[in-house]
Amino acid sequence: MTDNMTGAPVLGLTVNGERQQVAAASVRTLLDALGYDGEFIAVAVNQAVVSRGRWGEDLLRDGDDIEIVSPRQGG
Amino acid sequence: MLKLYGEDIASRLMIGTALYPSPAVMQAAVRASGAGILTVSVRRETAGGATGDSFWALIRELGLKILPNTAGCRTVREAVTTAQLARELFGTPWIKLEVVGDDDTLQPDVVALVEAADILIRDGFQVFPYCTEDLTVATRLVDAGCQVVMPWAAPIGSAKGIVNPGPLTLLRNRFPDIALVVDAGLGAPSHAAHAMELGYDAVLLNTAVAKAGDPVAMARAFGQAVAAGRTAWEAGLMPPRDFASPSTPVPGTPFWHAANS
């Protein structure tokens, strides 16, 4: 199945612990689709960090587990 | 001057950024403490939000070295991935490595800690491991390549101070060239001074300042205590003894007779 507007495949992804259906093949399109507009975020797919330089690559697969994180208070 | 992984750090106090009543109080407390290093964490960002951006702007205004942590991680894999996410976010090879082993005490899973430290050091990280005061664990961490070791004083947020000074002193004696930092469990400035008087290179604290009635004043007090404790260590403390020894001269005491002594 693909998204009518973008042509991206609709994938079943777990994003920050929540199952979602998202039309996104790359990290960049995923962040845009979900409305992430923060500058300081980092992303891991299946517990492997995807560096910012690879966010444009079509590397997402159905069933992927994605973490999107940012800086926060800590001790 | 304190040197951590080759970097000169002007202060021997490292301070956390969590649990303050407000961001403004956090900034004021950090400045009042005179700390040279700030700890931060990595957490999930919400869609459409920019919580991380606003927090990061506050931190950057302080202009201090950043030490990200892996707080809350329970496995080697979680800790390693969190460290890698932190490196991506903060652009530093420094990582305060925490692997939780028990929910009630938040005590480190030292077996997982050593394994994660080894993996991260091979991956180019400079690891600050949060550990117990166990000598064998510290030895394994140093063998893995840690140049800094951070044993607890007491459980995180417990405010008990140093409950087990003997093993901490043993670590100091065994590792004269490793930077040793007391991390966690300090509640009062006197606890921080105690750590420094044991010859520790620095202390790391958060809750004792953030949860004080006046966090800014308490931050200043901790900064003063750390400086006092360090000066005392450098001055050379007298060893304790079991019996009294008069400080005022005995000869010349009125009514004193040598035959009485």
Side-chain angles (χ1 to χ4, degrees), chain A residues 39 47 67 72-75, chain B residues 17 41 44 53 69 77 88:
Chain A
E39 176 73 16
Q47 296 207 29
E67 294 286 338
R72 210 58 50 91
Q73 296 86 346
Chain B
T17 55
S41 74
R44 285 172 169 167
D53 280 22
N69 69 30
R77 184 81 190 272
E88 179 81 2

Side-chain angles (χ1 to χ4, degrees), chain A residues 15-17 34-44 46-53 55 65-75, chain B residues 16-18 39-53 55-56 60 69 77-78 81 84-85 88-90 96 98 204 206:
Chain A
V15 180
N16 284 351
L34 296 180
Y36 280 91
D37 54 6
E39 176 73 16
F40 291 96
I41 55 176
V43 178
N46 301 327
Q47 296 207 29
V49 174
V50 178
S51 60
R52 196 169 278 259
W55 283 5
D65 193 353
I66 295 156
E67 294 286 338
I68 303 170
V69 300
S70 67
R72 210 58 50 91
Q73 296 86 346
Chain B
T17 55
T39 54
V40 296
S41 74
V42 168
R43 286 294 179 264
R44 285 172 169 167
E45 182 63 284
T46 49
T51 314
D53 280 22
F55 172 69
W56 188 233
R60 274 194 304 188
N69 69 30
R77 184 81 190 272
E78 286 176 11
T81 305
Q84 291 165 339
L85 284 166
E88 179 81 2
L89 270 179
F90 301 107
K96 176 183 164 181
E98 297 181 50
L204 198 170
N206 189 155

Side-chain angles (χ1 to χ4, degrees), chain B residues 231-247:
Chain B
T231 303
W233 165 255
E234 289 172 346
L237 291 141
M238 68 169 279
R241 52 191 168 197
D242 291 330
F243 297 100
S245 174
S247 48

